[in-house]
Amino acid sequence: MEKDLIIPTHVGIIVDGNGRWAQQRGLSRSAGHREGFTRLKNICIYAQESGVKYLSLYVFSTENFKRAKLEVDFLMNLFVSMFHTEFQEIMDRGAKIVFSGRREPLPKEVLEAMDEMAEKSKNNTGTVLNFCINYGGQTEILDMTKKIAQEVLEGKLTIDDITLDTLHDHLYQDLPPLDFVIRTSGELRLSNFMLYQASYAEFYFPKTYFPDFTEHDFDAAIVEFNKRNRRFGGNAS
Ligand code: FPP
């Protein structure tokens, strides 16, 4: 990483292109996901070393359950086996692991592995790694709305008490806003990723398929972020 660059506090990555990467090589989609995982692990470590404080990773959307059962089962098994093995090193480096998304209908084994990682790393003070699994941004806003409505019904809150802080406090995780969102594979969409948190994020869409997204590509993304003039709705400087 070049010196004197501003490192965004909260980076989001929409992991995309594993399937196309595999198809290009005549491999199975599963092979693409396995390779994608290896890259993901290395990028997590590199982002930690680079000083990123929060890293949100969109690895399985609510809509991904519509994929072929074979692929969904493969990904669920990959989550379980990798959470039990490969993540120890990341936690040993101080990362705190949290999850965003609905628990239903994730398999019991996946939920147990997730709970175990969250519990083991809850007192870690390093980079927060937020894995978005069975996640949808609209569903997060719906779930937040229901929690707040319930509190109003129970008399714990009045309508006038509801502020932007109230909304923030009822999201899945207590995270700062996203500064920078990277989506690999050349698709120019947000696809329901952290809609609330991405309000003032900068976006970057490299054409690289995720299994080819290296530490060097991550550096290039940070250089690009440094060229942006963030105004948050204010005047151009
Ligand atoms: C998108 O590529 C990728 C996914 C839906 C899965 C990403 C999951 C991993 C990299 C594994 C993560 C593992 C852990 C333990 C967190 P795609 O399949 O949509 O690719 P395509 O658009 O080219 O078909």
Side-chain angles (χ1 to χ4, degrees):
M1 181 71 64
E2 275 177 45
K3 277 200 208 130
D4 302 326
L5 284 175
I6 295 171
I7 305 296
T9 303
H10 188 179
V11 177
I13 303 182
I14 303 175
V15 174
D16 197 10
N18 292 350
R20 280 164 285 169
W21 180 90
Q23 195 179 18
Q24 259 187 353
R25 288 161 178 77
L27 300 170
S28 65
R29 294 181 62 82
S30 305
H33 292 316
R34 212 177 291 115
E35 198 62 27
F37 171 74
T38 305
R39 271 289 85 227
L40 188 71
K41 184 187 163 194
N42 289 321
I43 291 291
C44 286
I45 293 173
Y46 190 64
Q48 272 178 294
E49 285 171 351
S50 307
V52 172
K53 299 261 189 310
Y54 297 84
L55 183 64
S56 286
L57 300 151
Y58 199 17
V59 291
F60 196 88
S61 71
T62 313
E63 292 72 30
N64 286 155
F65 271 114
K66 292 183 203 147
R67 293 190 177 193
K69 185 173 179 325
L70 200 68
E71 183 173 353
V72 172
D73 288 349
F74 178 84
L75 279 168
M76 293 299 142
N77 289 331
L78 188 69
F79 293 148
V80 176
S81 64
M82 294 307 158
F83 286 156
H84 281 309
T85 54
E86 298 286 329
F87 274 88
Q88 193 56 49
E89 182 188 344
I90 292 179
M91 291 192 281
D92 289 345
R93 289 166 180 263
K96 175 174 170 174
I97 310 225
V98 299
F99 295 92
S100 291
R102 277 193 178 170
R103 291 174 73 86
E104 284 285 314
L106 287 171
K108 186 167 138 283
E109 298 73 27
V110 174
L111 292 171
E112 281 170 3
M114 285 163 54
D115 290 345
E116 191 185 314
M117 286 186 29
E119 178 60 28
K120 262 194 194 167
S121 67
K122 69 176 185 211
N123 296 321
N124 286 0
T125 54
T127 303
V128 174
L129 297 180
N130 171 41
F131 284 94
C132 298
I133 296 183
N134 190 25
Y135 176 84
Q138 291 177 336
T139 306
E140 178 171 30
I141 292 171
L142 173 65
D143 289 347
M144 167 192 78
T145 308
K146 285 185 174 178
K147 283 183 242 168
I148 295 173
Q150 185 64 37
E151 290 182 21
V152 171
L153 271 178
E154 289 169 6
K156 294 182 184 156
L157 269 181
T158 68
I159 298 285
D160 289 338
D161 289 334
I162 301 172
T163 63
L164 288 177
D165 286 340
T166 320
L167 304 197
H168 176 272
D169 293 347
H170 290 79
L171 292 168
Y172 290 138
Q173 295 292 341
D174 179 12
L175 303 166
L178 277 162
D179 297 297
F180 192 39
V181 174
I182 302 168
R183 179 176 188 151
T184 55
S185 92
E187 303 291 344
L188 309 178
R189 287 187 296 278
L190 200 47
S191 297
N192 213 3
F193 177 61
M194 300 188 89
L195 301 180
Y196 187 87
Q197 298 86 342
S199 301
Y200 281 99
E202 296 293 330
F203 292 92
Y204 180 62
F205 298 106
K207 291 210 164 65
T208 322
Y209 294 147
F210 192 78
D212 284 332
F213 189 76
T214 61
E215 287 79 346
H216 178 75
D217 295 316
F218 187 81
D219 281 349
I222 301 296
V223 168
E224 175 60 30
F225 175 79
N226 276 259
K227 292 182 188 157
R228 306 288 174 90
N229 176 11
R230 303 187 76 199
R231 295 196 292 277
F232 300 97
N235 290 326
S237 52

